[in-house]
Amino acid sequence: PYPQQFEDDTIDLYELWIILWNWKWLVIAVTVAAALGSVVYALQLQHVYKAEALLLPPKAKDIQSMNIFSLSIDRRTLEERKNDPLVSVKNEHNSASVYNQFKQNLKSRIIQKKFIQENGLMELLAPERTRETRDLEIYSGFAGLIKLGGDVNGITSLSIEMHDAEIAAQWVNGFIEFVDKETISLLVEDLQNSIANRVLDIEYNIESKRIMAEKRREDQIIRYTEHAQIAKNLGMFGRVDATNIIQNTQMNVDIATATTPLYYLGYEALMTEINILHNRKSDDPFITGLRDLEEQLTKLRSIKINKEKLRSVHVDQAAYSSNSPIKPNRRLIVSLATVVGLFSGVFLAFFIEFVQNQRKKHS
């Protein structure tokens, strides 16, 4: 119904081609300029290298000595005093728990800060640092360099991207070793504190038993002294058989319903007991359970943990310096810039042609 309007809205490809042909040198110039500019830009970009290490949980032998404390505890004592915080024992360490602690320490800002300070990396991270530059920004920058990959088939990756491949590999391997030692130190310190608390508990228990044994011995001396005086007053200097003596009805009741009074041992026997109790040098042989406590104490004090043989991580593949940079992709940069330059040149050609046509119409 509107043939004239349809003809006006139809795009003439030949006319477009003529426009492009007339401005071909402009399109070529813009494309070449974009390509050359991208080449110069890509050549000025520094190479970025990636150093990556692959990590696995530690082996059973790497953490075996950490469980020596739990093995040395008397299970019967723990069961009897399981609600006592002084004798509580942490769960035995396993590969998974130690490895999780290691991965948590990889993200710890305190450990990262300690690694930077001990290895003198402050100048490398911020060579032009001024007073206005806060240390927190440097530590945050280092934390941003560390990339911790997810577990794939039980393998965790740790990588750093830097302009120097050798330094990146050194930092990755050094950081893993540093965090490994810090993790072991923290676990061993925690273990040693548990051992120290258990030793103090046993020492307090032994000391209390000795104090109470001494008081019981003093009480026994008082009882024997009193009964010796009774025996002396009754003229019982030797041992008396209570079953053959019937003095009165009340005495029969006492003998039948209670233990034989101590003064029936006789004055001489009681004084001998009193002298022996006075001259006793140690109550230890008479304290029930004391030797068991001393045995536990000896075990705990003999525990020696060699941190050099402990590991919180198993390095499946150490980081190495790569000769192939991951950034920049110069081919991609030049290709994209060339395509953008080509389209920019085409757009510029049509824009200039449009402006000229509008001037002609107005004139």
Side-chain angles (χ1 to χ4, degrees):
Y2 306 101
Q4 184 62 38
Q5 183 179 357
F6 177 77
E7 292 178 359
D8 293 340
D9 293 342
T10 302
I11 298 176
D12 192 348
L13 296 178
Y14 180 75
E15 183 180 353
L16 295 179
W17 171 255
I18 293 299
I19 294 174
L20 291 176
W21 180 259
N22 292 334
W23 295 97
K24 61 182 179 295
W25 295 113
L26 175 64
V27 175
I28 293 173
V30 173
T31 304
V32 172
L36 293 177
S38 64
V39 170
V40 174
Y41 172 76
L43 291 176
Q44 290 179 349
L45 292 177
Q46 290 183 330
H47 286 164
V48 177
Y49 299 90
K50 181 179 180 180
E52 184 180 44
L54 302 180
L55 309 176
L56 288 172
K59 299 179 181 179
K61 65 178 182 179
D62 295 331
I63 61 172
Q64 186 175 5
S65 60
M66 288 187 185
N67 297 321
I68 191 172
F69 174 45
S70 59
L71 295 176
S72 65
I73 299 298
D74 186 0
R75 297 298 176 180
R76 183 177 59 184
T77 302
L78 289 178
E79 186 64 25
E80 293 174 354
R81 304 178 61 189
K82 58 183 178 181
N83 296 324
D84 191 342
L86 290 177
V87 296
S88 61
V89 183
K90 290 189 174 182
N91 295 330
E92 294 183 0
H93 295 288
N94 53 51
S95 297
S97 63
V98 174
Y99 189 50
N100 289 334
Q101 183 66 40
F102 169 81
K103 290 192 290 186
Q104 290 179 3
N105 291 337
L106 286 175
K107 304 175 184 178
S108 172
R109 291 295 180 88
I110 297 177
I111 294 181
Q112 292 175 2
K113 179 179 179 180
K114 189 176 180 180
F115 174 74
I116 293 172
Q117 293 176 345
E118 291 188 3
N119 291 274
L121 303 183
M122 194 70 73
E123 296 298 330
L124 294 176
L125 291 171
E128 299 179 357
R129 189 175 70 132
T130 60
R131 294 181 179 179
E132 291 77 15
T133 304
R134 295 181 301 174
D135 293 343
L136 181 60
E137 296 178 356
I138 297 175
Y139 300 138
S140 300
F142 178 79
L145 290 176
I146 300 173
K147 307 295 182 182
L148 186 63
D151 291 342
V152 179
N153 297 326
I155 300 177
T156 304
S157 63
L158 179 67
S159 61
I160 290 180
E161 297 180 2
M162 294 184 62
H163 299 302
D164 192 318
E166 186 175 353
I167 291 180
Q170 291 177 357
W171 284 16
V172 170
N173 295 328
F175 187 60
I176 292 174
E177 182 180 359
F178 182 82
V179 176
D180 179 27
K181 291 182 179 179
E182 288 295 315
T183 303
I184 293 300
S185 297
L186 292 175
L187 292 175
V188 170
E189 183 179 356
D190 191 18
L191 182 59
Q192 289 174 342
N193 289 335
S194 299
I195 294 175
N197 290 334
R198 178 57 182 156
V199 168
L200 287 176
D201 175 60
I202 294 177
E203 289 178 345
Y204 292 151
N205 197 1
I206 291 176
E207 184 65 22
S208 64
K209 284 181 176 293
R210 285 173 174 168
I211 292 175
M212 294 309 300
E214 183 178 358
K215 290 185 176 296
R216 291 190 182 96
R217 178 163 55 88
E218 293 174 354
D219 294 341
Q220 192 174 6
I221 291 174
I222 294 174
R223 289 196 303 270
Y224 282 10
T225 302
E226 181 177 317
H227 283 274
Q229 185 64 37
I230 294 174
K232 183 178 181 181
N233 293 339
L234 295 176
M236 298 179 180
F237 293 94
R239 183 180 181 86
V240 178
D241 187 359
T243 58
N244 296 327
I245 299 179
I246 301 176
Q247 296 180 356
N248 52 46
T249 306
Q250 184 62 36
M251 180 60 69
N252 292 333
V253 174
D254 291 340
I255 294 175
T257 59
T259 58
T260 304
L262 289 175
Y263 56 80
Y264 276 86
L265 295 175
Y267 177 77
E268 296 179 355
L270 290 172
M271 291 304 298
T272 302
E273 290 281 354
I274 293 172
N275 292 331
I276 292 176
L277 291 174
H278 273 300
N279 297 327
R280 181 182 292 175
K281 296 181 179 180
S282 175
D283 295 316
D284 290 359
F286 305 92
I287 301 176
T288 304
L290 179 65
R291 300 308 180 193
D292 294 334
L293 292 175
E294 289 180 341
E295 182 181 1
Q296 294 182 34
L297 191 62
T298 302
K299 286 182 179 180
L300 292 173
R301 287 175 174 172
S302 64
I303 293 177
K304 297 186 182 300
I305 303 174
N306 188 0
K307 294 192 294 184
E308 299 299 328
K309 295 183 178 180
L310 295 175
R311 294 290 182 273
S312 63
V313 64
H314 176 70
V315 180
D316 186 55
Q317 176 183 301
Y320 60 90
S321 58
S322 175
N323 296 326
S324 301
I326 61 171
K327 299 177 183 178
N329 191 338
R330 291 175 176 173
R331 291 183 179 181
L332 180 61
I333 293 175
V334 174
S335 300
L336 290 177
T338 302
V339 173
V340 172
L342 176 61
F343 282 99
S344 298
V346 172
F347 174 78
L348 184 60
F350 284 120
F351 180 76
I352 295 175
E353 184 70 20
F354 172 76
V355 172
Q356 289 181 353
N357 292 334
Q358 292 298 320
R359 286 181 180 179
K360 290 179 182 180
K361 289 181 181 181
H362 287 290
S363 63

